[in-house]
Amino acid sequence: MLKLYHAAPFANSGKVLIALKEKEIPFESHFIDLHRFEQHEPWFLKLNPDGQVPVLDHDGFLVTQTTIISEYLEDAFPDTPTLRPADAVDIARMRLWNKYIDEHVMEAVSIHGWQVRARATALSLDEDEFERYIARIPLEKQRKKWRQAREGFPQADLDAATEKVRDAAKRVEDQLQDGPWLVGDMFTFADINFYCYCGGALERMFPSIGNRDTCPRLLDWVDRVHARPGVAAALAMDVPQSVGDAKRK
Amino acid sequence: MLKLYHAAPFANSGKVLIALKEKEIPFESHFIDLHRFEQHEPWFLKLNPDGQVPVLDHDGFLVTQTTIISEYLEDAFPDTPTLRPADAVDIARMRLWNKYIDEHVMEAVSIHGWQVRARATALSLDEDEFERYIARIPLEKQRKKWRQAREGFPQADLDAATEKVRDAAKRVEDQLQDGPWLVGDMFTFADINFYCYCGGALERMFPSIGNRDTCPRLLDWVDRVHARPGVAAALAMDVPQSVGDAKRK
């Protein structure tokens, strides 16, 4: 049996939810409320000692890290619709996109998201409560990020992140001159990756970048992504509204 | 025709040289002298705009990023000896090791190496010459790292890096309770990765960690790695002695 522990269908959780729906692989959904810090509960740390979603549980084999989960789905379910090219050159191109998106784009968009959502969550707690939650976070990097969210990220960091997003959007806009998707004519994990970490939120979060003057091909690509049944199914998933208020727990 | 632009057979270049030798894939070797900053020459930046080795050129298709090159060799040369498990679970395990080693272990060992070698190179130049070389480096992160090498890395950073190495060695030592290699019974890219970034240099660079009291299984594993003909062939490659003195160019 396949189980997925996940949050709402965007960013990290979106990558795997979309892959599962596109590949038409049935799974048992376990919603984890990040804004109630469920991912740091002792029972969850047994699944992933890093305290992060998503976690895939395939008959007891636990897989973490979204890009590794994606390729695992491809390797473990070879008879389902494929999201990885067959050709060695195209696979390498897909992986180069994934590495760039995972290591450079994700964090740049993420701190803008955290500045709003995680900050609201952090500020809803008094300092003692906040510190109690923070003390449970296994990764030092995540503890720092939560503290930074409570303080507010420095404007210089937010601006630098925006420039990285602008650069990423330009790279994708340029790539889309060559075809409808990031790697040739096929919708792959690279498209899902860029959509979930950046492309899907570009118009809303970065309107000076995500507009028809600057990125016409990219916005057409977003429409093509939305038109895919698997993507639509993932986005329509009935997950509990995350409350942004850890106190309500 | 396969060409590899590479430095000496350890760290990033070692990963790909060992993989090519283990897979018995013939290639044309192009040595790049990092301590003469050849990787930032305009002709090299046409191969890799990031100015980093190694770069694989397969009939004009350029692949960068060592872990992506490794998987490309597996996909493009499926009839050569394999370094990637066949089973989906084991592939995911290999990729989880690779991600951990690439993102956490490599840099921790690297700054200790840079503190000696890159620092000597940087100090061999007067300030103007040094700044001229630095100005050509495309990646901001690498410019910062060269400046830090010239100044000397802060002791606190070196100490924190040593602790990461200690943690990595412990993880590998624990894993080797279960079998001779990092992933089951098969020598894989994960072994090559850990060997090139950390394991192969542990006794020399971190004697308080890499000794028979602390890591007996790991040191036996190093012996097993050295006994592999492909590894031995890569380590024996006749590459020019890097001079650590950019002035001699």
Side-chain angles (χ1 to χ4, degrees):
Chain A
M1 179 66 197
L2 203 63
K3 298 179 199 169
L4 187 73
Y5 298 84
H6 64 89
F10 51 82
N12 292 311
S13 294
K15 280 174 72 171
V16 179
L17 289 167
I18 288 175
L20 285 165
K21 294 289 188 184
E22 282 283 327
K23 292 179 76 61
E24 300 164 14
I25 301 169
F27 64 99
E28 195 178 285
S29 157
H30 292 261
F31 180 75
I32 304 295
D33 193 334
L34 304 184
H35 293 271
R36 292 181 183 181
F37 303 97
E38 276 192 270
Q39 72 277 27
H40 308 135
E41 299 275 1
W43 73 267
F44 187 82
L45 297 182
K46 285 182 192 157
L47 297 174
N48 182 4
D50 285 347
Q52 296 199 292
V53 291
V55 176
L56 187 77
D57 176 345
H58 188 195
D59 297 332
F61 178 58
L62 299 168
V63 200
T64 58
Q65 305 291 354
T66 51
T67 292
I68 293 174
I69 296 173
S70 301
E71 295 231 34
Y72 177 75
L73 293 176
E74 204 63 36
D75 295 327
F77 300 92
D79 300 329
T80 59
T82 185
L83 297 165
R84 185 170 65 190
D87 175 68
V89 167
D90 286 340
I91 303 177
R93 286 191 176 127
M94 179 190 85
R95 290 187 178 134
L96 286 166
W97 274 111
N98 280 341
K99 187 171 170 74
Y100 167 66
I101 296 163
D102 289 349
E103 294 181 11
H104 297 280
V105 182
M106 185 276 277
E107 191 63 25
V109 177
S110 172
I111 79 161
H112 281 276
W114 277 57
Q115 173 73 352
V116 178
R117 290 297 306 278
R119 185 163 160 73
T121 298
L123 290 172
S124 75
L125 300 167
D126 69 35
E127 198 166 334
D128 285 352
E129 281 174 309
F130 179 72
E131 287 299 331
R132 272 201 300 278
Y133 280 118
I134 296 305
R136 296 194 315 181
I137 301 178
L139 297 181
E140 189 196 351
K141 192 180 152 200
Q142 291 300 103
R143 288 196 297 273
K144 276 191 189 167
K145 199 169 169 185
W146 272 105
R147 287 220 168 81
Q148 193 73 75
R150 189 174 160 95
E151 267 179 47
F153 290 87
Q155 191 59 44
D157 290 4
L158 292 165
D159 292 346
T162 302
E163 289 314 302
K164 282 190 186 175
V165 173
R166 192 182 310 280
D167 182 54
K170 184 171 184 321
R171 285 194 203 198
V172 169
E173 184 69 14
D174 290 347
Q175 180 61 55
L176 293 171
Q177 287 182 317
D178 296 345
W181 305 111
L182 286 179
V183 181
D185 289 336
M186 183 180 163
F187 179 76
T188 71
F189 290 117
D191 296 290
I192 295 176
N193 202 353
F194 188 71
Y195 174 81
C196 287
Y197 282 149
C198 183
L202 208 55
E203 267 189 294
R204 179 176 57 77
M205 286 177 69
F206 304 92
S208 78
I209 302 170
N211 62 67
R212 297 250 159 221
D213 291 334
T214 308
C215 296
R217 284 185 291 264
L218 197 162
L219 295 187
D220 287 346
W221 168 90
V222 170
D223 290 342
R224 282 193 293 280
V225 174
H226 286 158
R228 295 190 64 92
V231 174
L235 298 186
M237 275 185 71
D238 188 23
V239 295
Q241 282 295 308
S242 186
V243 290
D245 178 359
K247 277 190 174 170
R248 277 187 40 189
K249 188 167 183 185
Chain B
M1 181 62 198
L2 202 64
K3 297 179 200 170
L4 186 74
Y5 298 84
H6 64 90
F10 50 82
N12 292 311
S13 295
K15 281 174 73 172
V16 179
L17 289 168
I18 288 175
L20 285 164
K21 294 288 188 185
E22 282 284 328
K23 293 180 76 58
E24 300 165 14
I25 301 170
F27 64 100
E28 195 178 285
S29 156
H30 293 261
F31 180 75
I32 304 295
D33 192 335
L34 304 183
H35 292 271
R36 293 179 182 183
F37 302 98
E38 276 192 89
Q39 72 279 24
H40 309 134
E41 299 275 0
W43 73 267
F44 187 83
L45 297 182
K46 286 183 191 156
L47 297 174
N48 182 5
D50 285 347
Q52 297 199 293
V53 292
V55 176
L56 186 79
D57 176 345
H58 188 195
D59 297 332
F61 177 59
L62 299 169
V63 199
T64 58
Q65 305 291 355
T66 51
T67 292
I68 293 175
I69 295 173
S70 301
E71 294 232 32
Y72 176 75
L73 292 176
E74 204 63 35
D75 295 329
F77 300 93
D79 299 329
T80 58
T82 186
L83 297 166
R84 185 170 65 191
D87 175 69
V89 168
D90 285 340
I91 303 177
R93 286 191 177 129
M94 179 191 85
R95 289 186 178 134
L96 286 166
W97 273 111
N98 279 341
K99 189 172 168 73
Y100 166 66
I101 296 163
D102 289 350
E103 294 182 10
H104 297 279
V105 182
M106 186 274 278
E107 192 63 24
V109 178
S110 172
I111 79 160
H112 282 276
W114 277 57
Q115 174 73 354
V116 178
R117 289 298 306 277
R119 185 162 160 73
T121 299
L123 290 173
S124 76
L125 301 166
D126 69 35
E127 198 166 336
D128 286 353
E129 282 174 308
F130 179 73
E131 286 301 329
R132 272 200 301 279
Y133 281 119
I134 295 306
R136 297 193 317 181
I137 301 178
L139 297 181
E140 190 197 350
K141 192 180 152 201
Q142 291 301 103
R143 288 196 297 273
K144 276 192 188 164
K145 199 169 168 184
W146 272 105
R147 287 220 169 81
Q148 193 73 76
R150 190 175 159 93
E151 267 180 45
F153 290 86
Q155 191 59 44
D157 291 4
L158 292 166
D159 291 346
T162 302
E163 289 314 302
K164 283 191 185 174
V165 173
R166 193 183 309 280
D167 182 53
K170 184 172 184 322
R171 286 194 201 198
V172 170
E173 183 70 14
D174 290 348
Q175 179 63 55
L176 293 172
Q177 287 182 316
D178 296 345
W181 305 111
L182 286 179
V183 181
D185 289 335
M186 185 180 161
F187 179 75
T188 72
F189 291 118
D191 296 290
I192 296 176
N193 203 353
F194 188 71
Y195 175 81
C196 287
Y197 283 150
C198 184
L202 208 55
E203 268 190 292
R204 180 176 55 80
M205 287 176 69
F206 303 93
S208 78
I209 302 169
N211 62 67
R212 298 250 157 218
D213 291 333
T214 309
C215 296
R217 283 184 292 263
L218 198 162
L219 295 186
D220 286 345
W221 168 91
V222 170
D223 290 341
R224 281 194 294 280
V225 174
H226 286 159
R228 294 190 65 90
V231 174
L235 298 186
M237 274 185 72
D238 187 23
V239 295
Q241 282 297 306
S242 186
V243 291
D245 177 358
K247 277 188 173 172
R248 278 188 35 192
K249 190 169 182 186

